[in-house]
């Protein structure tokens, strides 16, 4: 996530100023993949597209923190609502950071700014007499001695044909109908499960019927101008047809924005009224001049992204609230709504823990660009879609690996070949007598690419994100076909001038794909530009003002001749059948089911080990060993020497705080393998997070993996500590040492164990002799830890212990 380290952007006269929001994710749980594609990821793609096009755009989001669900979760976890919000806000932020969501501001609704903006809007509506007072009947629990807010009540949905028996008091999760708690059949208190009874209580209501004419005028005009998605129009019209009713805006709760009215000072605003105002208050945290975005409809376009269950709050409730102030608010121009992403055989569910959650995705070692790509190709734009592991595998292996990755690797690998076989990593020059306009296959490719670029822009402007992605990927398919038709490997031997044109054009297509796909898979784009040896921050652009669109329609002119590319390497890894089966089993059922299953499996293994009897290869039980045989077996065990440790040079690619442990970091470390290793280290108290980034370290790679607070650690980073363990420093190889190089100990020879047997205490035995000397060199006994570039050292701890 982009941190707000530079001056905030403000609307610019004469430019397209686009304000983007995604529905504020509720803060009482970890977001699952359905939540992520439904709002934050979709909005991120559009925000990145706007920046790519040179528009002046900001992306605002944050966690929705007030309301009953937070109070309920706090009761479940025996803590305060604020503690729950602090915990889950951090988790959400970590998940979105891993998914490369590029917020300009990611805030919270439990802020002082929220109280200030929300109360100011209320006062305006109150002054304009759009509010009424009414006595309503509300369920009261005698056992808990409190009025029960909507989410503290469950019961049977009253909608004919639905009758879901776990409907909430505000909305039925099954049929989507908004409810009042008193409408439920067989209501029960969610806290004590006792039956509540009805009692009178006074509340404030927003008079939606009085605002109907203003609201309908806004909807009829803006739904056309803004090209609202069909599902948004249908839901909104359904609300209007049923007739608008006064809507209660207050609740008998403590956790929320206090109502600034003497009679209602013991109440807070209902979350539907308060939460959308969060977009405004979070923008006020981004810039003190927030009104230039939110009270500037002549110069600002507001785009909002959400799942279908949030539509009426954004097309009816929130606009009515703003219209009721009689101020010149920036009202929503375009709404992009997704249906549901379902999981395997059922629905994703936060409350039931069903599906793959954001932190689960991180733990799979499937790269973030694969997750983003799959979710976006599967985006439920017009109907529900289904997440399945075999489908993810098929899209990765066929579309990303065999189409996109294969094209880029073929092009760059051929250019990188030494002279006589390729171009020695130099983009070739094309002789004057050879032209892309006159070479049939190249001209045909350019014409197709130009048409695809126009289609891509048209789709993205209309927020047809899935179509935009499909169009970009079509260019990759055309690139593969072009290479086959041109037969560049034959041209290199028979017509080098023409081959230079083909490869220069193909390199231009690589550049173009990196630009077009940046909104969808930005980490892929960064890697491609690294392999092209071009700075992504200055080259990723498709701006009309700069003439980028016209330029990229002539792909042979995109990258200058003589430019030296970087080092090509594969961009994607095949996902194998056994991995898919592993993930399907791992994420089957609910999160609670998975915990029970894991505990049962562990118990089963323990029981089996107790019963296991040694047998020979034919399944016959072996007789017990004599004492001599036992001695011979012991003698055959390899000696415990330092060479049994697989210590390598590692490069920390990324480090972040553990979502569930304040003292732990989670690092992704390159140790020279195809995939990075996830490592959990207890270094938070000793080394600042920014000093952990992009740092060379020494990594013990053959310890048995261990799960630490829910995250499996696949190695250990070596660090030195002083005598009383108040100071800790990383053991560092020389800066020029290459990731993956094995660290040696001069005078000791031998191969490392594939995996150290914990029972043999190999590491524990050797660790006592690992230390730093007076020259700050890391040593085993008196032998330095050595790489081809020199010895490994620490910064300042002499005579310290290494572990």
């Amino acid at each position: 996530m982009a941190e707000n380290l530079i001056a905030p952007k403000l609307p610019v006269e004469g430019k397209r100023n686009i304000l983007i929001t995604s529905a504020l994710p509720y803060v009482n749980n970890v977001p699952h993949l359905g939540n992520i594609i439904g709002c934050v990821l979709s909005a991120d793609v559009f925000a990145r597209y706007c920046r790519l096009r040179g528009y002046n755009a900001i992306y605002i989001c944050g966690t929705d923190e007030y309301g009953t669900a937070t109070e309920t979760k706090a009761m479940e976890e025996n803590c305060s609502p604020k503690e729950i919000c602090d915990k889950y806000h951090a988790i959400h932020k970590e998940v979105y950071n891993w998914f490369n969501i590029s917020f300009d501001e990611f805030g919270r609704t439990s802020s002082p700014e929220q109280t200030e903006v929300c109360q100011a809007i209320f006062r305006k509506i109150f002054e304009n007499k759009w509010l009424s007072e009414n006595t309503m009947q509300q369920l009261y629990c005698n056992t808990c001695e409190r009025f029960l807010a909507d989410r503290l009540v469950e019961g049977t949905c009253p909608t004919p044909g639905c009758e879901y028996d776990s409907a909430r008091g505000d909305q039925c999760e099954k049929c989507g109908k908004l409810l009042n708690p008193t409408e439920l059949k067989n209501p029960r208190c969610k806290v004590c499960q006792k039956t509540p009874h009805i009692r009178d209580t006074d509340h404030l209501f927003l008079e939606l019927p009085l605002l109907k004419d203003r609201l309908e005028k806004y909807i009829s005009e803006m739904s056309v101008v803004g090209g609202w998605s069909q599902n948004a129009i249908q839901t909104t019209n359904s609300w209007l047809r049923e007739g608008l009713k006064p809507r209660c805006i207050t609740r008998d709760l403590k956790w929320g924005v206090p109502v600034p009215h003497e009679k209602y000072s013991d109440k807070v605003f209902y979350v539907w009224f308060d939460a959308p105002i969060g977009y405004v208050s979070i923008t006020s945290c981004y810039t003190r001049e927030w009104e230039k975005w939110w009270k500037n409809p002549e110069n600002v376009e507001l785009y909002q992204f959400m799942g279908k269950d949030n539509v009426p709050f954004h097309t009816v409730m929130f606009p009515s609230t703003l219209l009721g102030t009689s101020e010149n608010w920036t009202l929503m121009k375009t709404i992009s709504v997704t249906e549901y992403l379902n999981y395997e055989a059922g629905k994703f569910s936060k409350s039931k823990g069903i599906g793959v959650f954001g932190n689960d995705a991180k733990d799979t070692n499937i790269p973030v660009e694969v997750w983003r790509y799959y979710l976006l190709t599967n985006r439920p734009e017009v109907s529900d879609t289904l997440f399945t592991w075999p489908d993810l595998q098929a899209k990765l292996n066929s579309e990303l690996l065999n189409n996109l990755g294969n094209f880029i690797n073929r092009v760059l690998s051929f250019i990188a070949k030494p002279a006589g076989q390729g171009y020695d990593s130099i983009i070739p020059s094309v002789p004057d007598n050879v032209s892309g306009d006159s070479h049939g296959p190249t001209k045909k490719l350019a014409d197709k690419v130009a048409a695809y670029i126009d289609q891509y822009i048209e789709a993205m402007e209309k927020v047809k994100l899935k179509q935009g992605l499909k169009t970009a990927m079509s260019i990759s398919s055309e690139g593969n076909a072009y290479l086959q038709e041109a037969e560049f490997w034959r041209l290199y031997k028979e017509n080098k001038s023409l081959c230079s044109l083909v490869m220069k054009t193909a390199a231009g297509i690589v550049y173009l794909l990196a630009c077009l796909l940046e909104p969808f898979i930005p980490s892929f784009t960064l890697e491609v530009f690294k392999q092209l040896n071009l700075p992504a921050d200055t080259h990723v652009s498709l701006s009309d003002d700069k003439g980028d669109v016209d330029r990229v329609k002539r792909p042979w002119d995109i990258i200058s001749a003589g430019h030296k590319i970087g080092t090509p390497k594969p961009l994607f890894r095949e996902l194998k059948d056994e991995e898919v089966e592993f993930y399907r089993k791992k994420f089957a059922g609910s999160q609670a089911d998975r915990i029970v299953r894991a505990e049962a499996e562990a118990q089963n293994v323990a029981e089996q080990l107790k019963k296991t009897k040694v047998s020979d290869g034919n399944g016959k039980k072996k007789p017990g060993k004599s004492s001599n045989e036992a001695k011979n077996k012991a003698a055959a065990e390899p000696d415990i020497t330092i060479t049994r440790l697989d210590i390598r040079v590692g490069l920390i690619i990324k480090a972040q705080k553990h979502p569930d442990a304040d003292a732990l970091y989670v690092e992704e470390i390159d140790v020279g393998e195809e995939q990075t290793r996830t490592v959990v280290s207890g270094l938070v108290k000793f080394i600042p997070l920014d000093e952990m980034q992009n740092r060379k370290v020494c990594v013990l790679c053959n310890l048995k993996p261990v799960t630490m607070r829910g995250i499996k650690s696949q190695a250990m980073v070596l660090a030195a500590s002083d005598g009383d363990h108040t100071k800790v420093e990383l053991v560092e190889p020389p800066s020029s040492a290459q990731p993956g190089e094995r660290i040696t100990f001069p005078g000791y020879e031998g191969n490392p164990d594939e995996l150290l047997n914990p029972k043999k205490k190999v590491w524990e035995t050797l660790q006592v002799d690992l230390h730093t000397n007076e020259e700050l060199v890391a040593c085993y006994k008196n032998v330095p830890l050595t790489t081809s570039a020199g010895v490994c050292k620490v910064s300042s701890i002499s005579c310290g212990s290494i572990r």
Side-chain angles (χ1 to χ4, degrees):
M1 276 174 275
E3 297 294 336
N4 194 8
L5 300 177
I6 57 175
K9 288 176 276 189
L10 295 173
V12 177
E13 195 77 32
K15 289 197 74 171
R16 277 196 75 183
N17 301 297
I18 299 180
L19 173 58
I20 301 161
T21 73
S22 61
L24 306 183
Y26 208 77
V27 78
N28 67 329
N29 214 322
V30 181
H32 58 60
L33 298 185
N35 304 137
I36 290 167
I37 186 58
C39 51
V40 295
L41 178 55
S42 295
D44 180 63
V45 172
F46 187 68
R48 288 177 178 274
Y49 166 76
C50 290
R51 298 182 195 120
L52 179 71
R53 297 280 285 136
Y55 304 152
N56 186 41
I58 62 169
Y59 177 16
I60 301 296
C61 190
T63 41
D64 178 6
E65 303 194 352
Y66 284 138
T68 317
T70 306
E71 286 197 359
T72 306
K73 191 71 172 179
M75 283 188 279
E76 289 173 5
E77 299 197 13
N78 195 28
C79 62
S80 70
K82 185 181 185 306
E83 288 172 325
I84 281 290
C85 293
D86 290 344
K87 172 185 174 180
Y88 283 103
H89 175 81
I91 291 172
H92 276 255
K93 197 169 183 180
E94 289 284 349
V95 168
Y96 303 142
N97 186 43
W98 188 81
F99 271 93
N100 288 327
I101 308 299
S102 59
F103 304 118
D104 288 276
E105 184 75 22
F106 185 74
R108 316 175 62 166
T109 60
S110 62
S111 66
E113 291 84 357
Q114 173 75 355
T115 300
E116 181 183 343
V117 175
C118 192
Q119 290 183 346
I121 288 174
F122 166 78
R123 290 188 182 100
K124 281 287 182 184
I125 298 171
F126 189 82
E127 289 169 11
N128 294 338
K129 299 184 171 23
W130 296 116
L131 297 177
S132 60
E133 299 180 69
N134 208 339
T135 300
M136 63 183 292
Q137 293 184 318
Q138 193 169 334
L139 293 173
Y140 185 88
C141 179
N142 285 329
T143 305
C144 297
E145 296 184 334
R146 62 184 291 181
F147 282 103
L148 297 181
D150 41 24
R151 291 201 177 198
L152 284 176
V153 185
E154 288 184 340
T156 302
C157 177
T159 306
C162 177
E163 298 178 348
Y164 180 52
D165 64 359
S166 294
R168 297 194 311 255
D170 63 337
Q171 188 173 25
C172 176
E173 192 179 34
K174 182 179 178 183
C175 71
K177 185 174 178 62
L178 295 180
L179 300 168
N180 283 314
T182 53
E183 296 179 277
L184 291 173
K185 298 177 182 177
N186 306 315
R188 57 189 179 273
C189 171
K190 193 171 180 180
V191 178
C192 68
Q193 299 299 309
K194 295 289 176 30
T195 301
H197 65 274
I198 294 173
R199 182 185 284 189
D200 288 347
T201 178
D202 291 340
H203 282 285
L204 289 165
F205 288 73
L206 177 63
E207 285 292 337
L208 290 177
L210 300 180
L211 290 160
K212 181 172 179 288
D213 292 343
R214 295 187 186 193
L215 179 66
E216 288 187 337
K217 181 176 183 293
Y218 156 73
I219 291 170
S220 62
E221 291 177 0
M222 203 59 80
S223 61
V224 175
V225 173
W228 289 10
S229 54
Q230 199 57 40
N231 43 12
I233 293 172
Q234 289 171 351
T235 302
T236 304
N237 287 340
S238 172
W239 264 64
L240 296 176
R241 277 196 306 271
E242 289 180 11
L244 297 177
K245 301 176 182 65
R247 192 76 183 177
C248 185
I249 68 168
T250 53
R251 277 292 181 262
D252 290 295
L253 292 173
K254 299 298 181 188
W255 181 244
V257 174
V259 179
H261 187 289
E262 185 177 355
K263 180 179 176 181
Y264 298 96
S265 58
D266 60 339
K267 302 181 191 294
V268 299
F269 288 115
Y270 185 20
V271 70
W272 75 257
F273 178 83
D274 143 71
I277 295 172
Y279 301 131
V280 183
S281 72
I282 293 168
T283 310
S284 77
C285 295
Y286 172 70
T287 172
R288 292 179 181 177
E289 299 180 87
W290 60 270
E291 291 186 349
K292 290 185 177 180
W293 284 106
W294 279 100
K295 294 185 179 180
N296 189 4
E298 295 80 17
N299 292 305
V300 174
E301 303 167 56
L302 174 58
Y303 284 72
Q304 299 197 285
F305 290 77
M306 69 208 66
K308 63 182 177 182
D309 51 346
N310 265 315
V311 169
F313 301 112
H314 291 77
T315 61
V316 176
M317 308 290 200
F318 189 39
S320 296
T321 300
L322 299 181
L323 289 168
T325 66
S326 298
E327 294 179 322
N328 193 32
W329 287 93
T330 302
L331 298 178
M332 178 179 64
K333 175 188 174 184
T334 297
I335 182 172
S336 180
V337 177
T338 54
E339 302 290 312
Y340 291 132
L341 174 69
N342 294 321
Y343 180 70
E344 294 280 341
K347 288 178 67 174
F348 277 95
S349 173
K350 282 197 297 182
S351 58
K352 296 176 182 175
I354 293 172
V356 179
F357 288 70
N359 51 348
D360 296 331
K362 290 197 301 181
D363 295 342
T364 61
N365 288 325
I366 296 173
V368 64
E369 59 267 25
V370 175
W371 285 108
R372 284 181 64 118
Y373 179 82
Y374 179 68
L375 290 174
L376 289 160
T377 58
N378 220 12
R379 184 175 186 250
E381 293 181 351
V382 294
S383 61
D384 292 355
T385 57
L386 185 64
F387 174 104
T388 70
W389 286 101
D391 188 38
L392 182 146
Q393 178 191 30
K395 286 187 166 60
L396 166 55
N397 293 348
S398 64
E399 296 174 17
L400 290 177
L401 179 63
N402 294 338
N403 175 9
L404 181 64
N406 176 58
F407 170 69
I408 292 172
N409 196 250
R410 286 178 80 188
V411 173
L412 299 187
S413 296
F414 188 76
I415 292 173
K417 286 182 178 180
Q421 301 175 44
Y423 294 95
D424 203 20
S425 296
I426 303 298
I427 299 295
S429 58
V430 179
D432 293 340
N433 63 340
V434 177
S435 165
D437 290 317
S438 60
H439 179 235
T442 302
K443 180 66 168 66
K444 183 173 72 174
L445 173 70
D447 290 343
K448 287 184 176 180
V449 166
Y452 279 130
I453 291 171
D454 290 340
Q455 292 169 25
Y456 171 89
I457 291 172
E458 181 183 6
M460 296 299 285
E461 291 291 335
K462 294 179 178 177
V463 202
K464 304 293 185 186
L465 306 184
K466 197 188 316 192
Q467 183 60 41
L469 178 54
K470 182 180 178 182
T471 302
M473 290 296 289
S474 296
I475 294 176
S476 177
S477 301
E478 293 294 344
N480 275 311
Y482 172 67
L483 293 181
Q484 288 302 112
E485 183 180 0
E487 297 184 329
F488 64 92
W489 58 92
R490 179 181 59 79
L491 287 178
Y492 187 79
K493 298 174 182 176
E494 299 174 5
N495 188 338
K496 279 206 172 170
S497 296
L498 199 52
C499 188
S500 295
L501 171 68
V502 169
M503 297 316 295
K504 192 168 186 286
T505 300
I509 297 296
V510 170
Y511 176 107
L512 174 62
L513 284 167
C515 287
L516 297 180
L517 290 170
E518 194 279 339
F520 302 95
I521 43 177
S523 54
F524 156 85
T525 295
L526 289 175
E527 177 58 31
V528 172
F529 271 89
K530 179 181 174 184
Q531 294 187 27
L532 284 171
N533 192 28
L534 290 169
D537 55 344
T538 55
H539 281 78
V540 178
S541 176
L542 203 63
S543 168
D544 288 323
D545 294 343
K546 298 179 184 176
D548 294 330
V549 175
D550 290 334
R551 181 172 62 91
V552 295
K553 290 181 178 179
R554 295 172 58 82
W556 53 86
D557 286 339
I558 293 177
I559 303 181
S560 300
H563 173 75
K564 185 170 184 177
I565 67 169
T567 303
K569 63 180 182 180
L571 292 158
F572 302 101
R573 179 185 70 83
E574 180 184 10
L575 189 61
K576 300 184 182 297
D577 291 344
E578 55 268 28
E579 293 176 275
V580 170
E581 190 57 30
F582 170 78
Y583 292 133
R584 286 187 73 175
K585 289 180 178 178
K586 179 177 181 179
F587 296 111
S590 69
Q591 289 178 317
D593 293 337
R594 295 170 203 167
I595 293 170
V596 171
R597 196 162 59 237
E599 290 173 348
E601 286 173 2
Q603 181 67 28
N604 185 48
V605 169
E607 293 297 325
Q608 288 299 319
L609 287 172
K610 288 179 185 176
K611 297 176 184 176
T612 299
K613 294 183 179 179
V614 179
S615 64
D616 62 19
N618 298 315
K620 297 177 181 178
K621 293 176 185 174
K622 287 186 177 181
K625 286 184 170 66
S626 68
S627 60
N628 285 336
E629 285 178 305
K631 288 176 184 175
N632 291 338
K633 174 76 167 60
E637 287 288 337
D639 294 335
I640 295 181
T641 68
I642 194 66
T643 58
R644 292 180 65 179
L645 302 185
D646 182 8
I647 304 176
R648 302 183 212 166
V649 176
L651 174 64
I652 299 177
I653 303 299
K654 180 175 67 175
Q656 57 192 4
K657 292 279 192 70
H658 193 299
D660 293 321
D662 294 339
L664 301 178
Y665 285 132
V666 181
E667 304 109 27
E668 296 297 326
I669 304 181
D670 178 1
V671 291
E673 298 169 340
E674 193 169 350
Q675 294 287 313
T676 58
R677 291 207 190 190
T678 300
V679 180
V680 181
S681 306
L683 297 170
V684 170
K685 291 190 292 186
F686 305 105
I687 303 173
L689 183 59
D690 60 343
E691 292 182 17
M692 292 289 292
Q693 310 297 336
N694 199 33
R695 187 167 181 173
K696 294 276 178 68
V697 287
C698 298
V699 185
L700 179 58
C701 293
N702 60 342
L703 282 177
K704 184 178 180 181
V706 59
T707 299
M708 301 175 72
R709 298 296 293 271
I711 295 179
K712 182 175 285 187
S713 183
Q714 300 167 317
M716 184 174 74
V717 174
L718 297 188
S721 62
D722 58 8
D724 57 3
H725 204 66
T726 57
K727 186 176 182 181
V728 175
E729 295 175 350
L730 292 172
V731 178
E732 295 186 88
S735 59
S736 57
Q738 293 300 304
E741 178 183 353
R742 189 181 173 208
I743 290 169
T744 59
F745 301 84
Y748 292 88
E749 293 185 0
N751 295 320
D753 291 12
E754 185 173 342
L755 192 68
L756 296 174
N757 185 341
K759 292 183 178 180
K760 302 301 180 184
K761 304 293 183 183
V762 177
W763 162 246
E764 291 80 356
T765 302
L766 296 167
Q767 184 274 321
V768 295
D769 289 316
L770 285 167
H771 63 93
T772 59
N773 64 18
E774 293 180 353
E775 286 77 39
L776 309 181
V777 175
C779 298
Y780 170 67
K781 297 184 177 177
N782 293 318
V783 179
L785 278 67
T786 306
T787 74
S788 59
V791 298
C792 304
K793 305 182 76 172
V794 294
S795 299
S796 64
I797 298 175
S798 62
C799 304
S801 173
I802 295 175
R803 62 185 68 228

